Amino acid sequence: MKVALGMPGRPAPPPAPPGVGHLHAAEPFPVAARRELADTTLRSNLAHATSTIRAKRAAVVAEVPDWEELRDAASAIKTDAMARLPELLIQLEEQVTARGGTVHWARDAAEANRIVTELVRAAGASEVVKVKSMATQEIGLNEALEAAGIQATETDLAELIVQLAGDTPSHILVPAIHRSRAQIREIFLEHMAGVDPEITDEPRLLAMAARAYLRERFLRAEVAVSGANFAIAETGTLGVVESEGNGRMCLTLPRTLITVMGIEKVLPSARDLEVVLQVLPRSSTGERMNPYTSLWTGVTPGDGPQDVHLVLLDNGRTAALADEVGRSALHCIRCSACLNVCPVYERTGGHAYGSVYPGPIGAILTPLLTGTSEHGDPNASLPFASTLCGACYDVCPVKIDIPSILVELRARQVDAERGGLPGALEAGMRMMGAVMGSPRLFSVAEQVAGLGRFLARDGAIRRLPWPGSLWTDSRDLPAPPSESFRAWWARERGEGS
């Protein structure tokens, strides 16, 4: 199933230039992960932050007796929305337009960036304030605006830290999770004008410094750019949930409001919020409800933005929707619960994934949005960035079966790389089958494997020559026992004595 971007009867727009953005990794995950693993400060920050968020989430989820039923309901809502996505998007456009807003359709990052840039220029503005948005990060909007001479200021505290440092986010919910308080203090002193040089790294003081820095920008901004956590098709209502109030400032003060939203964020009716607004805050911030939930519907004369735009972004989503296995990745509500329980993410951090979407959801969503058919595409390694422990599925509030999708994407990648010929993995498994199917060969293999005891240190083999290095480069191999089961069995039965 594909979604036609545009209303029926409209002429098709000319082909857009190739998209840009932050979905294409520069290097394969194993290469980046090995480098990130060497950063002990990063690993310490991640371990502390993710364990704290996990504990908060577990506490508030335990308060809800029907949590599993809520997960089932949220999954059903998203499944229904994806099944009816074309008609819901058309309904959404009709409702937004009827209430004074303007809807734009963007097939890729380049087209979305062009639309937003033209809207900012039409408003006569040279700067914008931004609400935290994964979609605008995905398309590289800040870079596109900068190239057009337009200054974009992130107003979410963590996003501001990342922006000032010239860094990239490493987590969906807490983008600066890889930064310590001491590092944030240094960033503020170096890049934020007017900060007291005697400021300490006390969180309250750092937050107050950011508040003073941003307040001036809120009051003078004529244009704001936001994402959307959801859109209600039946009313044309858009919604953003956040914790700091910066989003509320952006959504109410400027005259022009431009929202960039992935087409998968649409929900059929307002009643669906009864479920979504219960599972989202508990799964993301470990709160019973978000401190700020902002809803707006078109234009209200004399109140709030008077020039309201919605940019509906495809950027690979219709391709993912057409994938029978992968389409459930579009159910994601960006809570980041899967990142906080993932043992791989906790040790490597988000930058190793090379995409704006890190962690388990990024390992499936990024390849689905970009495709990995080209030989050597770094994104092709992402489905292998998992232990398949299943913790991500257990915590997902919309029950995305991430492990199963990972296995499917791995199989596709192996098939694509071997070009119809038996790959090394398949050849190895065939050889193992032959050995394990023959008692004589298995006995010989046991004796050979027993020699590995001489390579072991403290009960583990940590380095082997190729092809054994394919295993020991990323994990230890337990040392063989001093006596095999077959030898023990023969000895206990008195055989061979």
Side-chain angles (χ1 to χ4, degrees):
M1 177 171 56
K2 296 229 179 205
V3 178
L5 290 187
M7 291 288 288
R10 294 181 181 174
V20 295
H22 295 156
L23 285 178
H24 294 277
E27 56 187 355
F29 178 84
V31 175
R34 189 171 290 111
R35 180 181 62 253
E36 298 297 324
L37 283 169
D39 188 340
T40 56
T41 301
L42 170 69
R43 295 181 66 176
S44 175
N45 291 349
L46 287 171
H48 173 72
T50 54
S51 62
T52 300
I53 298 172
R54 283 199 303 269
K56 289 180 63 179
R57 176 199 170 275
V60 295
V61 164
E63 298 173 349
V64 184
D66 59 346
W67 177 251
E68 289 305 314
E69 288 78 7
L70 279 172
R71 291 179 70 207
D72 289 335
S75 177
I77 289 169
K78 292 298 293 185
T79 299
D80 174 55
M82 293 305 100
R84 298 192 290 129
L85 188 56
E87 65 182 79
L88 291 178
L89 290 173
I90 292 173
Q91 183 183 16
L92 176 65
E93 180 183 38
E94 292 172 344
Q95 293 301 319
V96 170
T97 302
R99 288 162 171 77
T102 304
V103 176
H104 310 262
W105 300 77
R107 286 160 297 179
D108 59 15
E111 193 166 17
N113 288 333
R114 176 183 58 77
I115 291 169
V116 175
T117 301
E118 290 177 355
L119 290 173
V120 176
R121 284 175 171 165
S126 59
E127 64 176 327
V128 302
V129 288
K130 290 184 72 241
V131 186
K132 182 180 183 301
S133 163
M134 299 298 294
T136 59
Q137 291 172 11
E138 174 188 326
I139 63 177
L141 178 62
N142 286 7
E143 293 83 353
L145 292 175
E146 182 181 3
I150 300 168
Q151 178 185 356
T153 299
E154 297 288 353
T155 64
D156 174 85
L157 178 55
E159 290 285 357
L160 177 63
I161 293 166
V162 169
Q163 183 182 39
L164 291 174
D167 201 353
T168 54
S170 62
H171 191 280
I172 291 176
L173 177 65
V174 273
I177 194 173
H178 57 291
R179 294 286 188 176
S180 67
R181 291 186 302 175
Q183 290 174 326
I184 294 169
R185 174 183 177 274
E186 294 302 318
I187 291 169
F188 280 13
L189 288 174
E190 183 176 355
H191 300 286
M192 189 182 288
V195 176
D196 182 354
E198 301 300 321
I199 190 174
T200 68
D201 62 3
E202 182 183 347
R204 183 183 66 84
L205 296 179
L206 294 173
M208 292 299 292
R211 181 177 183 270
Y213 175 81
L214 289 172
R215 182 55 58 95
E216 178 186 354
R217 286 157 178 79
F218 285 136
L219 294 176
R220 75 180 185 221
E222 292 293 325
V223 179
V225 177
S226 82
N229 291 97
F230 45 79
I232 306 302
E234 71 173 357
T235 61
T237 301
L238 305 178
V240 164
V241 295
E242 40 114 6
S243 300
E244 300 171 11
N246 63 294
R248 182 70 56 82
M249 300 285 278
C250 292
L251 298 170
T252 55
L253 291 177
R255 176 175 176 77
T256 299
L257 174 60
I258 305 167
T259 300
V260 181
M261 186 190 83
I263 55 176
E264 81 282 10
K265 295 296 186 69
V266 66
L267 298 175
S269 71
R271 290 193 60 183
D272 298 325
L273 296 181
E274 297 177 14
V275 174
V276 174
L277 291 181
Q278 290 191 73
V279 298
L280 177 55
R282 284 181 166 84
S283 298
S284 57
T285 57
E287 296 171 297
R288 297 176 183 86
M289 64 182 295
N290 292 96
Y292 293 88
T293 300
S294 300
L295 305 174
W296 68 100
T297 306
V299 175
T300 301
D303 182 15
Q306 299 300 291
D307 188 18
V308 175
H309 298 266
L310 171 62
V311 180
L312 293 172
L313 176 69
D314 185 336
N315 208 34
R317 285 163 174 78
T318 55
L321 187 66
D323 189 311
E324 293 186 3
V325 174
R327 71 171 58 132
S328 63
L330 296 179
H331 295 186
C332 177
I333 58 176
R334 308 292 192 268
C335 70
S336 77
C338 62
L339 280 70
N340 300 324
V341 298
C342 177
V344 176
Y345 174 86
E346 184 175 318
R347 286 156 180 80
T348 65
H351 291 154
Y353 294 82
S355 169
V356 69
Y357 301 115
I361 187 62
I364 61 173
L365 186 59
T366 299
L368 287 167
L369 292 180
T370 63
T372 57
S373 58
E374 294 184 10
H375 180 69
D377 184 347
N379 286 345
S381 66
L382 289 177
F384 297 87
S386 171
T387 64
L388 299 180
C389 67
C392 50
Y393 174 68
D394 291 340
V395 299
C396 178
V398 291
K399 304 190 78 168
I400 302 172
D401 190 354
I402 295 177
S404 294
I405 302 174
L406 286 169
V407 170
E408 171 63 22
L409 294 181
R410 290 181 182 187
R412 293 179 189 177
Q413 192 57 36
V414 170
D415 289 342
E417 289 181 352
R418 74 185 188 183
L421 298 174
L425 179 61
E426 184 175 350
M429 294 303 293
R430 287 181 180 179
M431 183 176 69
M432 286 288 292
V435 170
M436 299 182 75
S438 167
R440 183 176 61 83
L441 290 177
F442 190 77
S443 178
V444 172
E446 278 186 330
Q447 297 175 36
V448 173
L451 299 176
R453 291 193 299 274
F454 300 104
L455 301 175
R457 296 291 183 274
D458 299 323
I461 300 173
R462 293 180 171 82
R463 182 168 298 180
L464 285 173
W466 192 91
S469 60
L470 297 175
W471 178 279
T472 57
D473 279 350
S474 56
R475 56 183 70 81
D476 293 338
L477 184 67
S482 58
E483 183 180 36
S484 71
F485 173 80
R486 287 157 60 95
W488 173 85
W489 181 259
R491 179 169 54 79
E492 287 294 306
R493 290 170 58 90
E495 297 178 3
S497 58

